[in-house]
Amino acid sequence: KEVKENHEILEGNDKKEFLKGAEIAYETILTSFAHGDLNKLKNLLTTNMNKNFSGAIEARNKEKIKSEFTFIGIKESSVEKYEKIKDDLFATVKFVAEVISVKKDKEEKVIEGNPDKIKFVTDVWKFKKNIKNKSPNWHLSEIINQ
């Protein structure tokens, strides 16, 4: 039977499921970006974010900068804000994760990060979903600088 969805709130099981999906998207986006995998990114980002990520990957490739990235895990995630604007839903999620992130130049010299050090990162990402779209997928629409 058809279930009427309440798009005004995100709570209970819906919230748990959303956060599980958001965590998977977070890890996939970070890892795909580090590896320069534009195909994987395309399905997880809004058009505008896709342009930003593609541009950053192109710039990195042009400079012959190699990105090495190891995702250790998410320590915590929480929905900081949830809102419905017309036919769009927006969920702002705070992630606290552990990663190893290193950038190397063309001579393999470390120019950023430490390959032997796990670092904590806190990110706040805004995801968007159009309720008229039958797809259950949310897309990263904004990275909010803290």
Side-chain angles (χ1 to χ4, degrees):
K1 71 180 193 211
E2 190 69 26
V3 178
K4 166 79 179 90
E5 283 191 60
N6 180 358
H7 294 294
E8 304 301 321
I9 54 171
L10 184 65
E11 62 185 21
N13 231 13
D14 289 342
K15 188 176 187 176
K16 265 193 225 138
E17 287 298 310
F18 169 77
L19 271 176
K20 198 169 23 170
E23 288 178 2
I24 292 166
Y26 178 74
E27 177 179 356
T28 305
I29 290 168
L30 288 178
T31 305
S32 299
F33 176 69
H35 296 147
D37 188 342
L38 293 169
N39 281 337
K40 254 194 192 148
L41 286 170
K42 195 171 58 191
N43 300 321
L44 298 166
L45 307 173
T46 61
T47 306
N48 203 33
M49 285 303 282
N50 195 39
K51 282 183 195 143
N52 294 345
F53 275 70
S54 297
I57 289 169
E58 276 174 36
R60 192 173 68 205
N61 290 345
K62 213 159 112 180
E63 300 288 319
K64 301 216 182 334
I65 292 171
K66 191 171 148 205
S67 178
E68 293 179 2
F69 184 80
T70 306
F71 191 86
I72 308 296
I74 293 176
K75 286 291 167 209
E76 82 185 56
S77 65
S78 58
V79 177
E80 302 289 292
K81 187 175 181 189
Y82 177 80
E83 58 193 334
K84 180 177 182 267
I85 301 169
K86 294 190 173 101
D87 289 331
D88 289 320
L89 303 177
F90 294 93
T92 304
V93 181
K94 178 180 170 187
F95 298 98
V96 178
E98 289 180 303
V99 301
I100 299 171
S101 180
V102 179
K103 285 187 183 155
K104 293 180 177 178
D105 65 15
K106 57 183 176 270
E107 278 86 42
E108 291 289 312
K109 198 173 94 213
V110 174
I111 52 175
E112 189 181 299
N114 181 339
D116 304 315
K117 190 164 191 272
I118 295 172
K119 68 176 182 177
F120 276 93
V121 289
T122 301
D123 285 317
V124 178
W125 286 12
K126 186 185 257 188
F127 293 91
K128 176 183 177 184
K129 176 183 178 357
N130 186 293
I131 58 174
K132 292 202 161 127
N133 188 331
K134 293 288 175 231
S135 165
N137 297 348
W138 290 71
H139 297 91
L140 176 63
S141 65
E142 187 181 345
I143 294 175
I144 299 161
N145 292 322
Q146 294 275 312

